Amino acid sequence: MDLIYTPEQNAFRKEVRAWLAANIPAKPLASFDTQEGFEQHRAWEKTLAKGNWGMVTWPKEYGGRGCNLIEWLIFEEEYYRASAPLRVNQNGIFLLGPTLMEYGTPAQKERFITKMASGEEMWAQGWSEPGAGSDLAAIRSKAIRQGDEYVLNGQKVWSTRAVFADWVFCIFRTDPASERHHGLSFIFVPLNAPGVTVRPIPQLDGLPGFAEIFFDDVRVPVENRLGDEGQGWNIAMSTAGFERGLMLRSPARFQETAKRLVKLYREHSNDILDLSIEDAVVKCYMDAEAYALSTYQTASRLMKGGKIGSESSVNKIFWSELDQLMHETAMNILGWRAELWPQSPAAGDVGHWLDGFLFAQSGPIYAGTNEIQRNIIAERLLGMPRK
Ligand SMILES: Cc1cc2nc3c(=O)[nH]c(=O)nc-3n(C[C@H](O)[C@H](O)[C@H](O)COP(=O)(O)OP(=O)(O)OC[C@H]3O[C@@H](n4cnc5c(N)ncnc54)[C@H](O)[C@@H]3O)c2cc1C
């Protein structure tokens, strides 16, 4: 791994920085967990796509720039440094996009990738069910083939921003006699199809960021299936790899939070009596830097043909617990002000930290809970016996 950037990489960084400075919306966007904010973020995705910055690692024919992973890390560093808007179509761009490139037919790639890249179609992920979360193989929602169509029945839950999205990618049981990870298929469903009901679920902050989705005799064409019938589990595991691996949470996100935490500490250092807070600030900063260095190392390895595998579970635990510690430490520094409503006159930047604190609580749950990641590490990396 070479820690010195090449002249081309430095030039790329300059280009990203200049484009972001010229294009980032002047006013912060509303939360993407509201209809208004969702549409504002969609408009931002369209702006990114017009400049070919939507997903820089994608091939040029899909609106990307064919960048390698080091260039992607540089892009991310500039993106977070500039406080650019959060990525509303992350389910599409970070998860489904790479899965489609690997498993999609030429017709599916042409139909779905371009509209995803351009921000025209936003995607939700429909995997979890009331009885199938960590134990995803317990999925019961069914897709029964009738001629050239599948008839869908069942329920999904915790589907992020499905209230506002256009499409959902799901896993259904296509062989009703099958059990566990056999007989499952990966299917795309337009959320405005007859028989689909999307019911919002409020998050901790009260906004409708989640939804449950009900399917009552919904009909979709067989062409909406990704991969072969019964191959759904393997495809889903490959998507999950993208989710836990490098792309979903780049180190820049945490490095920027760590820098803000140091700034917050400096602003309040005269009021802080508890020395453990200082230790926590130092730990957060060092861990964010360590995660960045470790990611550069992984990226270099992947660029030489290596694979990420179960190591992505280690990453997922590391960034989600670091995010929690950073926000808890910020709450401790803010002290009594952390109890204020963000709209209160004395709150200052409390709202921003509080939002982050609430969201950080979900990090150890989504993309596979940290308990499950620890099981994977124990069995596959440490070679411990299955219980
Ligand atoms: C912010 C957020 C966004 C999400 N977005 C989506 C989405 O867009 N689409 C989607 O499909 N889902 C989404 N989810 C759902 C998420 O994938 C599930 O919540 C997660 O997989 C856990 O499933 P569960 O909630 O059913 O909990 P359960 O599986 O019931 O687990 C409950 C507890 O038991 C523990 N546990 C379970 N099994 C084991 C075991 N074998 N060993 C040790 N501990 C165990 C878990 O770690 C957890 O602490 C989202 C969740 C969150 C928090």
Side-chain angles (χ1 to χ4, degrees), residues 33 49 72 87 96 125 201 243 262 291 295 380:
D33 292 329
W72 172 71
R87 304 299 303 272
L96 183 59
Q125 180 188 23
I201 307 175
E243 189 169 23
V262 170
Y291 181 51
T295 307
R380 297 189 209 155

Side-chain angles (χ1 to χ4, degrees), residues 310-355:
S310 314
E311 180 193 327
S312 60
S313 296
V314 179
N315 286 350
K316 203 256 145 168
I317 294 173
F318 194 84
W319 60 248
S320 57
E321 294 186 353
L322 170 60
D323 204 34
Q324 280 190 315
L325 182 63
M326 289 197 289
H327 287 92
E328 267 164 33
T329 308
M331 293 285 118
N332 287 336
I333 294 174
L334 289 165
W336 63 267
R337 285 207 304 136
E339 310 268 328
L340 292 174
W341 282 110
Q343 61 271 28
S344 127
D349 63 351
V350 163
H352 202 64
W353 282 110
L354 183 63
D355 264 358

Side-chain angles (χ1 to χ4, degrees), residues 242-260:
F242 296 126
E243 189 169 23
R244 280 169 213 154
L246 289 189
M247 292 277 171
L248 183 67
R249 295 286 178 254
S250 75
R253 176 178 174 128
F254 306 108
Q255 285 176 294
E256 280 311 310
T257 308
K259 281 186 206 152
R260 284 201 299 118

Side-chain angles (χ1 to χ4, degrees), residues 90-91 95 123-136 156-162 168-170 203 209-211 213 243-244 249 358-359 361-375 379 387:
Q90 62 184 25
N91 280 319
L95 304 185
W123 285 84
Q125 180 188 23
W127 290 10
S128 306
E129 296 184 2
S134 301
D135 186 15
L136 194 62
K156 298 289 175 180
V157 72
W158 311 127
S159 195
T160 299
R161 286 182 288 283
V168 59
F169 58 91
C170 298
Q203 302 169 151
F210 285 132
I213 309 176
E243 189 169 23
R244 280 169 213 154
R249 295 286 178 254
L358 293 179
F359 188 69
Q361 305 316 308
S362 67
I365 305 174
Y366 66 83
T369 69
N370 285 10
E371 288 79 16
I372 297 297
Q373 304 315 313
R374 286 191 159 88
N375 287 349
E379 287 163 18
K387 71 168 169 50

